[in-house]
Every structure is written in structure tokens, then in C-alpha cells.
Amino acid sequence: SQQGEEDPQALSIQEGENATMNCSYKTSINNLQWYRQNSGRGLVHLILIRSNEREKHSGRLRVTLDTSKKSSSLLITASRAADTASYFCATDAAGANNLFFGTGTRLTVIP
Amino acid sequence: DAGVIQSPRHEVTEMGQEVTLRCKPISGHDYLFWYRQTMMRGLELLIYFNNNVPIDDSGMPEDRFSAKMPNASFSTLKIQPSEPRDSAVYFCASSLLTGATGELFFGEGSRLTVL
């Protein structure tokens, strides 16, 4: 399966701390995306990193990609209570036109 | 733009009944995806369309499931007959580019409970 796996499954931190989530996948990819899902809502796209990129930033988000290890990490700096959500990585398979989602990390930011 | 619109948001039905879920993608998006989310299996891709044509339906669980896209602004996912194990949140998503190269825009989901 192309499905990625996030680690940890759940993470609880204090407001202001940094949160790091990891994603591992199984086969070669063209790109990797991260999505956020608030409870009871749809997924929202956060950031896309291509296979030839190693790091990408967007506001308080920093994503890294290591294709040799087939892994990615999402760092949220200076976390806020509003960051509480589930975070998913999604990968394509080289040549495929769809995305496969990981199992998600449930982040809780305590005010 | 109103985003991807799904209906109904919640559906409770009895085993054996027909269920129809509806989706209106974002105007101009050429790709439409149906996903199912459960605690046990996470997010599963059921089927996706390109320009109203089904491209990959290998994720459709069984013949009880069918999906159509009669035009660029409307798609349905039908379950007939429904079973308790079909209980899940069903998401529709659309994309301007392929899911592999572009951002997916998700609807708010249809939560289905089959008793």
C-alpha cells in the first residue's frame, strides 16, 4: 500500500511549544502534501513539497522531506490552541493521479 | 467560491435502505474524488473522476457502491443496499490539477450511520 503512517498517533503540548509530526511512506513519490482536519470538518490543505525539495516553509509551518528515508516531518512552531486538530500526510505514487492519506497525528495544544 | 458542497451532512438509515450522497465540486475543477473515513481504516479513496469520466474505481468496496458524475457540477455516491459496516464519513474533494500534483479541496463530509 502507498499509504503513509504518521508518528506519533497523538501529541499533546502546551501553547507556545513546537510540535513535530513525522510521516513515513513506502514507495517513490512525486510529491508529498500535509493536510489538517478539525474535528467534524473536512480536510484542509497546508503545504505541498516536491520530491526534489528538501525543506519548505509556510508561516509557522516547516516541512522537510527525505526521499532516501521515505519520510517527512511537519513542524509547527509557537503552537496555539487553535492548532488543535488532526494532521495527515498524503502521497502520490510516481505516475499516479491520486493521493493516499496516512493515518494521522492528533495534536492537542493546551492553552 | 462556496467551496465543495456535500449533502446531506448527516444521514441515519436502516440496513437495506438505499443511500445517495451528493457533491458539487468547485467550478472549473477537472478532478473529483470520493473518500471514506473511518476510525479503523482512516481515509480510503473510493473513486475519482477526470472531466466527468471515472478513472479509477478500484477502491469501491463492492457492487453495492456506485458513483456517477453526469456533469461537471454534480456527482453522486450511491449505496444500495446499505449495511451497518458502511457507517462512515464520506468526503468529496475536487482539484484543479491531478491529486498528485495539486491541492485537494474537501467538502465538510456526509456522516452516514446505518442501523
Side-chain angles (χ1 to χ4, degrees):
Chain A
S1 167
Q2 179 63 23
Q3 188 177 37
E5 291 186 7
E6 283 88 343
D7 171 57
Q9 289 188 337
L11 179 62
S12 184
I13 60 173
Q14 295 289 329
E15 198 166 35
E17 294 180 338
N18 296 342
T20 299
M21 290 158 270
N22 303 297
C23 168
S24 60
Y25 56 92
K26 297 180 180 177
T27 65
S28 298
I29 61 172
N30 293 317
N31 67 56
L32 183 146
Q33 303 183 35
W34 284 90
Y35 286 77
R36 164 194 170 128
Q37 184 181 31
N38 284 20
S39 181
R41 307 294 298 274
L43 283 77
V44 176
H45 180 265
L46 294 176
I47 196 166
L48 179 152
I49 185 166
R50 302 194 187 284
S51 60
N52 61 356
E53 297 176 309
R54 293 295 168 259
E55 187 171 313
K56 201 163 184 179
H57 297 254
S58 177
R60 293 185 295 113
L61 304 180
R62 173 178 168 251
V63 170
T64 62
L65 179 64
D66 186 335
T67 53
S68 66
K69 295 181 179 178
K70 292 186 171 59
S71 67
S72 173
S73 68
L74 171 67
L75 169 68
I76 303 175
T77 60
S79 64
R80 305 166 181 169
D83 294 329
T84 294
S86 291
Y87 292 82
F88 296 86
C89 67
T91 55
D92 64 341
N97 290 324
N98 49 36
L99 288 178
F100 295 91
F101 285 82
T103 50
T105 292
R106 188 174 190 86
L107 173 66
T108 302
V109 181
I110 303 167
Chain B
D1 199 315
V4 175
I5 300 172
Q6 292 186 246
S7 65
R9 288 295 313 277
H10 301 274
E11 174 95 6
V12 180
T13 190
E14 292 188 348
M15 183 174 62
Q17 296 297 307
E18 178 179 295
V19 174
T20 299
L21 307 178
R22 298 172 177 80
C23 175
K24 175 178 167 52
I26 293 173
S27 177
H29 282 192
D30 292 333
Y31 289 83
L32 184 141
F33 303 80
W34 282 100
Y35 284 88
R36 177 171 70 175
Q37 186 176 37
T38 61
M39 289 293 292
M40 292 295 294
R41 300 172 69 91
L43 268 161
E44 302 173 277
L45 176 66
L46 300 177
I47 185 172
Y48 80 93
F49 295 83
N50 179 21
N51 291 324
N52 313 339
V53 177
I55 302 300
D56 183 355
D57 65 354
S58 60
M60 295 286 262
E62 47 199 272
D63 292 345
R64 297 185 298 107
F65 285 69
S66 63
K68 294 182 180 179
M69 192 165 185
N71 56 62
S73 59
F74 184 65
S75 177
T76 60
L77 178 68
K78 187 174 293 187
I79 308 172
Q80 166 63 13
S82 58
E83 296 181 3
R85 60 190 166 128
D86 302 331
S87 297
V89 181
Y90 290 82
F91 286 102
C92 175
S94 70
S95 175
L96 183 61
L97 304 173
T98 69
T101 56
E103 170 185 355
L104 293 190
F105 292 82
F106 281 80
E108 296 288 27
S110 294
R111 180 175 294 276
L112 173 64
T113 302
V114 183
L115 304 174

